[in-house]
Amino acid sequence: MSLLVVDGLTVVYPGAGRPAVAGVSFEIEAGRTLAVVGESGSGKTTLALALAGLLDRRARRGARRLEVNGEDLLSAGRKRWRQLRRTDISFVFQSPVNSWNPTRTMKAQVKDGMAASGRAGRMPELYDLLGRVGFEDPERRLEDLPHQLSGGMLQRVSIAVAVIREPALLIADEPTSALDSTVQSEILAILGELRREVNLAMLVISHDLSVVSRVADDVMVMYGGKAVELGSRRNALHSAVHPYTKGLLDSVPSLDGERKTLLPSMAPGPLPAAGCPFAPRCGLAVDECRRTEPDLAPVGATLAACPPAAAASTYTSGSPSASTRSSTPASSTSEGSPGCSDAAGAEGPP
Amino acid sequence: MRSAKPARFSKLARFSKGAAWLAVVVLVAVTITFALSRIVPADPARLAAGLEAGPEQVERVRQDLGLDDPIPVQYVRYIGGLLTGDFGDSLRTRGPILDDVVESLPASLELIAVSFSIFAVLGIVLGVVWAYWPRGVHAVLLRVVAVAGAAVPVFWVGLLLQILLAGRLGWFPVAGNLNHEAAGIAEVTGAGLLDALIARSPSAMWEAARVLFLPVMTIVIHNIALTIALMRSSLADQLDQEYVRAARARGLSEWRVVMVDALRNALNPVVTMLGLQLGWLLGGVVIVEVIFSWPGIGLYAFSSFQAFDYNAIMAITVLSTAGFVLVNALVGLIYPRLDPRIQEGG
Ligand SMILES: Nc1ncnc2c1ncn2[C@@H]1O[C@H](COP(=O)(O)OP(=O)(O)OP(=O)(O)O)[C@@H](O)[C@H]1O
Ligand code: SF4
Ligand SMILES: [Mg+2]
């Protein structure tokens, strides 16, 4: 049974035309990591907040199913959500600096967090954990105010406080994108290691595919609030079907050289009122795309929300990599996505 | 990097810097008031001698008061007097001004202390309620209070309350302070409520509260508007910060998130403004005291103005400036408690 079940999750902010998250469905099994990828404004943070009961009070949330550990959370009240955050669901935010009150010492705040999960008296365990993730002399350094510590140090504390309560689900919203690259890899390594130890399910958000390829078991690509592609890491990265996913892959500098293509019309224009959100930027768009909103459906080795691409791939089902190539957006001149030759992965979607 | 000794040293350094700053501001205020009192065309000797006095009498008074000395000499003499607590004599009451001030100060301090405590505490509470629950009937009411209270002039509020609640309805005395004799208590401090407390007389306390009510309400209505509005916007800003969401994500209770983390940061601008408001009250209490014939320093200032009692006017200016600066210096001591980052910058 999956640890987290999300079915048809929709979040609408007041005054917004389109939902920020529109009918997203996926599951995460215990011990697995799902990476959510997508450009700015695609609804990644909104999705993550909804899963922790941390949405703005004004936001409206709906879903067919929302379950953690088999418990239905659609009817959970604010109290229950707080309880879940204390024991089952941990959150690591994008900006380590903004995650802490600038006017209170780290120790005071960390203690508050420990007390909230019933671990007030177990600070030494936290110091141990911090020491292990490369935070030197934690007992003394935590006396500092947040701005006296570096981003990497602060994020180590955030992660330690999140993990020490041994949650079932850890949600990390772009945990490394505010850090410089060496620190990024350190933090990713820490996350990966702790995750294996505690065997927790993890949802990692990123707009950076290199992060995804390091930590994820499965990948979900979002565009305009919708999940447009969902599959195992290998399949989503190597035999992607959806034009947006392929554009994303092509815009990553390829390992073997200079070639690097950006998505057509990167200007984040307004999303269309109806139909496929990607239609204005899609080289494959047909009239039908502007009328009906496609949903995820099995295509080749992944799930993709794009009927035209699905159709194209069935014609050429004998060679998935050829189909991938043929449906690449017109302006793309890329010959190969990063190391994509071993496209036919064996893993199925979760 | 940071060790205890330099911190303590810098604390002392900051304190002396603050004290020096205070002295400079007061000195500037004294100098300006002194200059003004010598520029205005009215002749203080003439006023002091009285209307019937002949020219020789006026000259004698001028000599007595030292007004025929060169201005710099007068200035130095005045500063010297101030340093020994001598504000000179009142032209109106003929006694030392210090005595008059000591006599009228308790009533003013009582009025200011009671009003300030009420609008500061109530304003903060209402601002917090409004920020945390921004929708609903209470929010509409608070918006009305915040806009109307600040927009309506203080004398208008005072007169309206006086006519309505004292004149028409007769619920409160129209004007004046507690009559200690009638209330059957001894005059210890001069502040009615305090004296009633000391005498442990519930009936006197009730009377003291009744006479205080209208002037206090007038000051509160005028000042609470700003406190509520600033507290609301400041806390609403903080509640939107990511650290609030992060604290919630760590499972902290709403009370801790709002009262321990957010409110503490949100109080910073509110404390600044309360300090300014308190400073203004030291001078701004005049109108209210005049409306309600409250025998405090404001009423004394008003009478002194009418009589062009320049010594008294100068004394009051100096005292209220010193009070203003002192209040703000005290506020400065509160900041580092609210935001420890300020300590380092020092
Ligand atoms: N509190 C809010 N109120 C109203 N609209 C919001 C709010 N938060 C986000 N939105 C809108 O919802 C959409 C999705 O935003 P979200 O922050 O979830 O995207 P994201 O994928 O996390 O983007 P980024 O990579 O920039 O973090 C955006 O159009 C955004 O403007
Ligand atoms: S082909 Fe149509 S459905 Fe597929 S991504 Fe393009 S616009 Fe959307
Ligand atoms: Mg985001």
Side-chain angles (χ1 to χ4, degrees):
Chain A
M1 191 191 61
S2 293
L3 181 103
L4 173 70
V5 179
V6 180
D7 186 7
L9 179 69
T10 297
V11 180
V12 184
Y13 287 112
R18 270 184 99 101
V21 171
V24 169
S25 308
F26 62 91
E27 300 185 5
I28 306 180
E29 278 164 42
R32 306 269 294 179
T33 296
L34 173 73
V36 177
V37 201
E39 63 193 27
S40 188
S42 54
K44 307 180 298 290
T45 297
T46 305
L47 168 70
L49 293 175
L51 298 180
L54 287 171
L55 285 170
D56 283 7
R57 277 181 290 184
R58 297 174 306 139
R60 291 286 151 260
R61 184 209 68 196
R64 282 188 294 274
R65 281 171 77 196
L66 179 56
E67 289 169 15
V68 169
N69 265 333
E71 178 186 349
D72 169 35
L73 294 182
L74 284 178
S75 52
R78 300 223 285 170
K79 255 202 165 129
R80 180 64 194 134
W81 274 112
R82 188 177 314 125
Q83 195 55 44
L84 283 166
R85 291 194 294 267
R86 289 175 174 180
T87 54
D88 294 298
I89 304 174
S90 285
F91 210 112
V92 175
F93 289 83
Q94 171 169 7
S95 162
V97 177
N98 296 342
S99 298
W100 300 96
N101 184 344
T103 64
R104 296 181 66 212
T105 67
M106 289 301 290
K107 191 172 253 170
Q109 300 184 66
V110 165
K111 273 189 171 153
D112 277 354
M114 293 291 280
S117 65
R119 287 174 171 76
R122 292 163 64 178
M123 288 296 280
E125 289 172 38
L126 186 81
Y127 297 145
D128 279 354
L129 181 59
L130 279 172
R132 275 183 45 213
V133 298
F135 190 108
E136 278 162 36
D137 198 2
E139 202 163 350
R140 198 178 61 82
R141 287 311 302 274
L142 284 184
E143 303 279 1
D144 282 345
L145 292 165
H147 74 279
Q148 295 168 318
L149 298 175
S150 69
M153 286 298 167
L154 289 174
Q155 203 64 318
R156 283 172 164 87
V157 182
S158 294
I159 291 172
V161 171
V163 169
I164 201 163
R165 51 185 69 177
E166 298 179 9
L169 173 66
L170 176 69
I171 301 172
D173 183 3
E174 312 220 21
T176 62
S177 58
L179 307 170
D180 52 35
S181 56
T182 45
V183 185
Q184 270 188 13
S185 355
E186 285 167 27
I187 295 289
L188 283 178
I190 291 168
L191 264 181
E193 193 184 324
L194 293 179
R195 188 193 68 82
R196 266 190 299 281
E197 266 174 40
V198 187
N199 193 37
L200 41 67
M202 190 157 81
L203 185 136
V204 184
I205 289 174
S206 180
H207 57 253
D208 183 349
L209 284 172
S210 66
V211 169
V212 167
S213 53
R214 290 189 52 179
V215 297
D217 297 308
D218 302 305
V219 176
M220 180 167 85
V221 180
M222 287 184 73
Y223 189 86
K226 288 187 69 76
V228 296
E229 184 131 26
L230 175 60
S232 68
R233 172 186 67 199
R234 193 182 168 84
N235 290 334
L237 291 182
H238 297 183
S239 49
V241 176
H242 196 280
Y244 174 65
T245 314
K246 288 197 285 193
L248 263 187
L249 291 167
D250 285 347
S251 66
V252 173
S254 60
L255 298 176
D256 52 6
E258 321 297 300
R259 276 166 303 178
K260 174 175 170 182
T261 322
L262 293 179
L263 276 169
S265 134
M266 278 307 274
L271 294 169
C276 173
F278 191 57
R281 287 165 66 182
C282 182
L284 292 182
V286 294
D287 281 351
E288 181 60 17
C289 299
R290 300 187 182 89
R291 278 196 296 273
T292 43
E293 205 168 301
D295 281 319
L296 282 182
V299 183
T302 73
L303 299 170
C306 179
S313 101
T314 44
Y315 291 140
T316 53
S317 55
S319 99
S321 70
S323 86
T324 310
R325 214 51 67 222
S326 70
S327 54
T328 302
S331 66
S332 165
T333 54
S334 166
E335 259 304 289
S337 308
C340 260
S341 48
D342 55 341
E347 301 160 76
Chain B
M1 296 160 52
R2 280 156 281 102
S3 68
K5 255 182 200 157
R8 207 168 294 142
F9 172 74
S10 82
K11 213 175 229 171
L12 185 70
R14 255 202 331 279
F15 184 78
S16 15
K17 210 166 100 185
W21 186 232
L22 194 149
V24 168
V25 172
V26 172
L27 185 67
V28 169
V30 171
T31 309
I32 292 175
T33 1
F34 181 85
L36 284 177
S37 73
R38 304 300 133 130
I39 289 168
V40 285
D43 178 359
R46 169 90 248 165
L47 287 167
L51 285 177
E52 291 93 47
E56 313 90 79
Q57 255 178 306
V58 172
E59 271 325 295
R60 221 183 44 240
V61 170
R62 195 183 307 282
Q63 274 169 28
D64 283 353
L65 294 175
L67 289 169
D68 54 348
D69 292 333
I71 299 277
V73 175
Q74 291 185 38
Y75 177 70
V76 170
R77 191 164 53 220
Y78 187 69
I79 300 279
L82 284 188
L83 289 178
T84 60
D86 177 10
F87 290 91
D89 285 354
S90 162
L91 302 183
R92 189 166 54 91
T93 65
R94 307 274 159 184
I97 289 168
L98 197 59
D99 291 357
D100 295 346
V101 167
V102 168
E103 167 111 9
S104 52
L105 206 52
S108 284
L109 290 182
E110 176 180 38
L111 182 57
I112 291 173
V114 173
S115 314
F116 180 78
S117 323
I118 292 178
F119 80 72
V121 173
L122 200 62
I124 287 174
V125 170
L126 292 175
V128 168
V129 167
W130 189 5
Y132 193 73
W133 291 286
R135 258 156 285 274
V137 182
H138 67 277
V140 177
L141 289 177
L142 285 170
R143 188 177 296 276
V144 171
V145 171
V147 173
V152 176
V154 74
F155 69 85
W156 196 83
V157 175
L159 289 175
L160 196 76
L161 288 177
Q162 194 174 44
I163 292 169
L164 220 68
L165 299 185
R168 280 282 164 81
L169 299 170
W171 292 350
F172 300 97
V174 174
N177 198 349
L178 182 71
N179 184 333
H180 282 72
E181 234 168 273
I185 57 170
E187 189 158 345
V188 184
T189 60
L193 208 53
L194 210 55
D195 286 346
L197 261 171
I198 292 170
R200 296 176 192 223
S201 156
S203 65
M205 265 186 251
W206 172 245
E207 247 340 281
R210 262 169 46 91
V211 296
L212 264 171
F213 188 84
L214 290 182
V216 163
M217 279 300 284
T218 306
I219 297 176
V220 166
I221 289 177
H222 186 72
N223 285 281
I224 201 171
L226 220 52
T227 316
I228 294 177
L230 189 64
M231 187 69 246
R232 183 204 70 86
S233 73
S234 177
L235 182 59
D237 275 357
Q238 290 298 323
L239 290 176
D240 275 347
Q241 301 287 313
E242 189 78 357
Y243 76 80
V244 168
R245 183 171 267 155
R248 287 192 176 123
R250 280 174 231 128
L252 266 61
S253 68
E254 282 297 289
W255 178 265
R256 281 201 88 86
V257 172
V258 176
M259 293 300 170
V260 178
D261 277 305
L263 181 59
R264 188 184 144 117
N265 295 352
L267 273 176
N268 224 317
V270 177
V271 166
T272 309
M273 202 201 50
L274 285 175
L276 287 173
Q277 279 179 303
L278 183 58
W280 284 326
L281 267 185
L282 300 176
V285 79
V286 176
I287 300 173
V288 178
E289 289 193 355
V290 170
I291 293 175
F292 293 100
S293 306
W294 190 260
I297 198 90
L299 197 59
Y300 178 72
F302 185 71
S303 314
S304 305
F305 271 111
Q306 283 184 318
F308 194 68
D309 187 346
Y310 75 96
N311 269 345
I313 295 171
M314 280 168 66
I316 291 163
T317 312
V318 170
L319 285 175
S320 55
T321 308
F324 191 94
V325 177
L326 197 68
V327 165
N328 279 290
L330 291 178
V331 168
L333 294 181
I334 300 177
Y335 286 143
R337 304 207 158 265
L338 291 173
D339 186 350
R341 284 174 302 180
I342 288 169
Q343 201 122 31
E344 291 168 53

